[in-house]
Amino acid sequence: MSPDWAPATALDRRGFLKLGAGSAAAFTLLGASVQLAGCSQQAAPAAAGFRWLTAADLPFARLLVAGVAGSALPADPAIADAALEEGARRIDICLDALDAPAQKEVRKLFDLLQWAPFRRFAGGVAKPWTEATAADMQTLLANLSASRLGLLNGAFRALAKIGSVVFWSQPVAYPLARYPGPPAWAVAALNA
């Protein structure tokens, strides 16, 4: 006799095994679809002139800098474009300097953000990064930041730190930060 509080649809052993087998099949299918959809680009070589970023990463890296810089990005299109290109190069240098486990995690994040279903549902960006704008990147960052999932919040923090460091460390951003630049004697000592 079952107690009065027992649920009407108790999970017996057979149901538990079916649930486990179904879940395993679903996760296997999801993993295979991610691999086949091109989400994992771990074997992709670095783009020409770069150490770590792939050709698919470059539009994303430029937009990351533009999205984080926001209105601080120079109004002159030529200067802004140069700042975005320098930002992508600095992202490449920073990520190349990470240790292997950290590089692996960032690679997973970058590959996941290239995958259209994730980009659309978790980040709110339907366009591929080659067609997206700085506003789209800001939408992605806002959605990752506002997510109830700690993993997505962590992705936001990582992307915001990367974008902030590479933009605000450029000489074009010094006047905005009221930073006069390194002292001349320090530059001379480094170049000697």
Side-chain angles (χ1 to χ4, degrees):
M1 182 168 168
S2 66
D4 293 336
W5 53 265
T9 57
L11 191 62
D12 61 354
R13 182 176 177 187
R14 174 171 270 175
F16 179 76
L17 291 174
K18 284 181 183 178
L19 178 65
S23 298
F27 284 126
T28 301
L29 183 62
L30 178 64
S33 67
V34 165
Q35 293 292 330
L36 293 174
C39 181
S40 178
Q41 301 173 354
Q42 293 175 350
F50 289 86
R51 300 176 193 172
W52 194 86
L53 293 175
T54 65
D57 294 333
L58 292 178
F60 175 76
R62 291 173 54 91
L63 282 174
L64 177 60
V65 175
V68 169
S71 62
L73 199 63
D76 182 352
I79 296 173
D81 193 51
L84 296 179
E85 186 60 34
E86 179 63 20
R89 294 206 176 279
R90 287 174 183 244
I91 287 174
D92 184 61
I93 292 167
C94 289
L95 296 179
D96 186 54
L98 293 175
D99 59 353
Q103 283 183 346
K104 185 177 178 182
E105 294 304 313
V106 174
R107 170 55 48 213
K108 286 179 189 176
L109 175 60
F110 274 41
D111 289 348
L112 192 58
L113 290 169
Q114 295 291 340
W115 192 42
F118 179 81
R119 188 176 60 241
R120 174 178 221 135
F121 295 116
V125 179
K127 301 177 205 169
W129 294 119
T130 54
E131 299 172 13
T133 64
D136 293 325
M137 178 57 72
Q138 290 171 341
T139 298
L140 171 84
L141 293 172
N143 287 341
L144 293 178
S145 174
S147 175
R148 287 189 262 180
L149 299 175
L151 192 60
L152 296 181
N153 296 147
F156 162 75
R157 285 190 301 278
L159 293 173
K161 285 178 184 180
I162 291 168
S164 295
V165 166
V166 301
F167 177 73
W168 292 103
S169 66
Q170 293 185 51
V172 72
Y174 292 172
L176 298 167
R178 293 188 166 87
Y179 174 59
W185 62 266
V187 173
L190 289 173
N191 293 326

